[in-house]
Amino acid sequence: MLSTRDLSVGYDDRTVLDGLDLDLPADAFTVIVGPNACGKSTLLRTMARLLTPRRGTVLLDGTAIRDLPTRAVARRLGVLPQSPLVPEGVTVADLVGRGRQPYQRWWRQWSPSDEVAVAEAMELADVQELAERPVDTLSGGQRQRVWIAMTLAQDTEALLLDEPTTFLDLAHQVEVLDLLHRLRTERGRTVVAVLHDLNQAARYADHLVAMRAGAVVAAGPPRQILTVDLVREVFGLDCVVVPCPVTGAPLVVPTLRTSSVTKGSSCAAEFSPSSPSPPSVPA
Amino acid sequence: MTTVATRSTRPGEGRRRRATRRVAVTTGAAVLLVLVVLASLALGSKPLAPGQVWHALVAPDGGEASTIVRELRVPRTLLGLTVGPALALAGVLLQALTRNPLAEPRILGVSAGASLGVVVAIAVFGIGSLAGYVWFGVVGALLAGLLVFGIANRAREGASPVTLALVGVALDASLGAMVIALLTVDARTFEEYRFWVVGGLTGRDVGVTAQVAPFVLAGVLLAGFAARGLDALALGDDVARGLGHHVGLVRLAGGAAAVLLIGAAVAGAGPIAFIGLAVPHLARALVGTDHRWTLVLAALLGPALLLTADVVGRLVAPPGEVPAGIVTALLGAPLLVVLIRRARVVTA
């Protein structure tokens, strides 16, 4: 549903993305991964029309996004940027309610459908009990769920999230990712997220996009594309890839750096001499 | 303010409760403003009975009471009703645009621009009447506002809150220096300026209000247009864009509104302190951060506070008067301290 054609984006004299062509599948959870400064956030922000490309187009269901009124886009595409600001004293219900702005006009203020959408978004993100709390008094994990609830209240087909798990502890990371997974499977939303953790990406993504230096190195289902070679090419990191004992998704385990000059692809034999081949884990 | 988390599980309930409270507070503020207006007409250094005031309003007889009410009290009340909302709304707008709870008409340099405009009117064009200042004040504010916005826009991240505030403060200093330079050159200018710079509602006839009012009206309309965008802007530029706002347009509308309001207010009544700083805080503490409510309440509380200051100024030192600009500073400073001490300053 979201595609880019010959997309080039830059800041000042630095080009971040250069002629990028990409198609993101609808009704899938797409995760974009890559090393720092590879352009993954820039790509997400450009697709969300937060950045204007120098050249090329972002297509939303085949229409150039810059030709669509931004309010109309806001009814189809929800965006959660990396560091939204939390004004003091805004309550959770109030903040989630602001997600309804794309549907409101001066002559059409708060309506029953807004009420329904907000209630549903708060229930999905499990923040109903926090409704009257000021957002700035919440913990990081609660706060992130509130922001997601706000984008859910926008009631869009697609959600774009820029590193939604950064600054959260592991339990809250899983909580947020489970929520995104439910949105995809139970609500049929298209979810696109930039994530840092490769293993979480492999676990949750239907479609993985691996980027390096402003270009897409590989894109596809994690089980097909996430290999030792890809991790080395994208991150410059040696690793072994084993099936995750819980989900069977590829699990990336970096090898020890002390034996940095490793011959071949795997040094698993060096620290687990008893099993010369990568351990097989029952799926 | 903070309700117990378990009290409301249905979001609609809390929203309705909040709406009821907002309507109640706003109605209260409107009633307060009416009372203050009545006080402004009825009270002064020359005591008049309510009957005399009423008579002077409905059937003027050319007597002393009629003259006092119609020539002095009515004009200053009307000016207060025009300038008060302008200062308060400008404060709300600037605090929202700069995301800085301490922003006020000075921080964008707009106030200084208006002052320089007025001083140029006195020194260069030799204009001695307040009605003549208005255009210079508005133009000065407008130019300063455009200059601030233009310079800030050239920064890499555009006219962000930080660049706007930095450029505004820098411009405030340079414009202030120009004002001082003009004043030191010309002693007569200094005399005229001295009366105007204190800030107040005295000595301005209805003509001044009539000249200022259209600018204030335009500013109010623009502020209303920008209100929902300001709510979104408080969450960051990216969130605002994601919610379908044209961030540049919201900033432009809000900034233009602030410039019009400040230019008009400063030209009409001189640089009056603290209304633009204290009223927005008061309004947010009472109705929360929704700008449609904050703006309406500020527009009611601004003139109420300014006219109260004016009435107090008339009564404290008869037969003389203390200008409203001095009283607002004296009233406003403790008010702000109370607000800060009361717990939290709710930011825009």
Side-chain angles (χ1 to χ4, degrees):
Chain A
M1 77 169 290
L2 269 170
S3 330
T4 70
R5 291 288 171 267
D6 190 29
L7 193 69
S8 297
V9 190
Y11 309 97
D12 297 332
D13 51 352
R14 195 165 67 91
T15 302
V16 180
L17 305 175
D18 194 8
L20 195 76
D21 290 309
L22 185 67
D23 291 288
L24 298 184
D27 305 325
F29 188 168
T30 298
V31 175
I32 307 172
V33 294
N36 291 334
C38 72
K40 54 190 191 300
S41 280
T42 302
L43 172 62
L44 188 97
R45 287 164 51 78
T46 310
M47 288 195 297
R49 52 113 170 60
L50 304 182
L51 288 176
T52 310
R54 282 184 181 162
R55 206 182 66 231
T57 339
V58 173
L59 300 171
L60 177 61
D61 286 332
T63 315
I65 207 164
R66 62 159 174 269
D67 295 338
L68 296 167
T70 180
R71 274 172 62 92
V73 175
R75 288 184 220 131
R76 300 170 62 184
L77 209 65
V79 191
L80 181 54
Q82 212 172 104
S83 41
L85 303 174
V86 182
E88 272 178 70
V90 174
T91 62
V92 170
D94 195 359
L95 187 76
V96 177
R98 289 185 193 186
R100 297 302 294 170
Q101 285 204 350
Y103 298 90
Q104 291 162 349
R105 293 276 191 188
W106 266 110
W107 61 90
R108 187 188 145 332
Q109 301 277 345
W110 197 255
S111 74
S113 66
D114 291 333
E115 196 71 64
V116 170
V118 166
E120 195 179 291
M122 290 181 57
E123 195 192 323
L124 257 173
D126 194 23
V127 294
Q128 314 98 299
E129 302 82 42
L130 307 173
E132 296 303 312
R133 294 264 301 273
V135 180
D136 54 317
T137 62
L138 302 180
S139 74
Q142 292 173 323
R143 211 181 272 198
Q144 196 64 342
R145 291 209 313 268
V146 170
W147 281 114
I148 293 175
M150 190 204 80
T151 42
L152 288 177
Q154 254 176 279
D155 196 21
T156 56
E157 309 142 51
L159 273 180
L160 304 185
L161 307 100
D162 195 356
E163 298 193 15
T165 54
T166 309
F167 305 124
L168 300 183
D169 62 38
L170 189 58
H172 286 130
Q173 290 179 19
V174 171
E175 201 173 81
V176 165
L177 290 167
D178 279 342
L179 167 59
L180 297 179
H181 180 72
R182 282 209 312 278
L183 290 177
R184 217 281 290 153
T185 52
E186 292 168 20
R187 306 280 158 154
R189 308 279 177 96
T190 302
V191 181
V192 183
V194 168
L195 291 183
H196 259 303
D197 190 309
L198 209 46
N199 289 327
Q200 287 178 348
R203 176 177 181 144
Y204 287 96
D206 305 306
H207 188 80
L208 190 67
V209 176
M211 288 182 69
R212 185 175 187 277
V216 172
V217 178
R223 283 170 208 239
Q224 287 173 26
I225 66 159
L226 192 54
T227 60
V228 169
D229 290 337
L230 182 77
V231 176
R232 189 184 304 118
E233 188 182 353
V234 170
F235 291 94
L237 181 76
D238 289 321
C239 69
V240 290
V241 177
V242 294
C244 166
V246 177
T247 62
L251 188 67
V252 173
V253 184
T255 53
L256 289 174
R257 272 290 163 97
T258 43
S259 52
S260 56
V261 195
T262 49
K263 294 174 283 298
S265 61
S266 167
C267 67
E270 286 181 40
F271 56 87
S272 57
S274 59
S275 59
S277 58
S280 58
V281 181
Chain B
M1 286 291 281
T2 319
T3 16
V4 188
T6 52
R7 213 169 103 194
S8 149
T9 45
R10 286 168 50 223
E13 206 177 291
R15 199 177 301 282
R16 273 187 292 277
R17 217 172 36 233
R18 210 157 39 241
T20 313
R21 181 186 151 81
R22 281 166 170 169
V23 170
V25 168
T26 308
T27 312
V31 172
L32 176 73
L33 180 58
V34 170
L35 292 177
V36 172
V37 166
L38 292 178
S40 173
L41 293 173
L43 303 175
S45 46
K46 168 87 182 171
L48 295 175
Q52 285 176 290
V53 175
W54 177 250
H55 192 256
L57 283 174
V58 293
D61 54 13
E64 193 196 10
S66 289
T67 312
I68 288 175
V69 172
R70 295 182 71 90
E71 307 288 318
L72 298 176
R73 293 186 190 172
V74 168
R76 67 201 292 173
T77 305
L78 288 177
L79 185 63
L81 284 173
T82 313
V83 168
L87 289 169
L89 291 179
V92 174
L93 291 168
L94 293 185
Q95 289 175 13
L97 289 172
T98 61
R99 297 194 193 107
N100 179 349
L102 295 179
E104 47 133 4
R106 277 197 68 172
I107 205 163
L108 279 190
V110 182
S111 213
S115 297
L116 184 62
V118 172
V119 173
V120 166
I122 302 168
V124 180
F125 295 93
I127 292 169
S129 83
L130 283 163
Y133 294 169
V134 174
W135 282 98
F136 286 89
V138 169
V139 169
L142 209 58
L143 290 178
L146 289 175
L147 197 60
V148 170
F149 203 79
I151 296 173
N153 238 347
R154 297 185 70 87
R156 208 192 106 174
E157 65 271 40
S160 77
V162 178
T163 48
L164 270 176
L166 283 176
V167 175
V169 169
L171 196 69
D172 182 62
S174 359
L175 294 179
M178 285 186 220
V179 169
I180 301 292
L182 276 172
L183 291 179
T184 39
V185 171
D186 188 345
R188 194 189 53 80
T189 306
F190 186 72
E191 280 304 306
E192 301 268 356
Y193 178 78
R194 216 168 52 123
F195 166 71
W196 173 82
V197 78
V198 173
L201 304 176
T202 32
R204 278 92 169 159
D205 59 31
V206 186
V208 174
T209 305
Q211 293 226 357
V212 164
F215 294 94
V216 175
L217 186 65
V220 169
L221 292 176
L222 273 173
F225 168 76
R228 257 164 11 95
L230 294 176
D231 284 346
L233 212 57
L235 310 177
D237 289 8
D238 281 352
V239 176
R241 284 195 192 95
L243 289 173
H245 289 282
H246 295 275
V247 167
L249 194 64
V250 173
R251 282 225 170 89
L252 194 66
V259 161
L260 286 170
L261 293 169
I262 296 166
V266 168
I272 289 178
F274 272 106
I275 303 269
L277 186 58
V279 170
H281 284 284
L282 198 59
R284 279 194 298 272
L286 288 169
V287 292
T289 51
D290 186 329
H291 279 95
R292 280 166 298 177
W293 288 95
T294 320
L295 287 167
V296 169
L297 189 59
L300 295 169
L301 290 178
L305 187 62
L306 181 57
L307 286 173
T308 304
D310 189 51
V311 171
V312 169
R314 291 177 219 169
L315 299 178
V316 284
E321 281 197 18
V322 180
I326 291 173
V327 182
T328 55
L330 292 175
L331 284 177
L335 181 65
L336 191 71
V337 173
V338 168
L339 278 176
I340 290 169
R341 283 187 60 91
R342 231 191 82 206
R344 49 202 288 132
V345 175
V346 185
T347 52

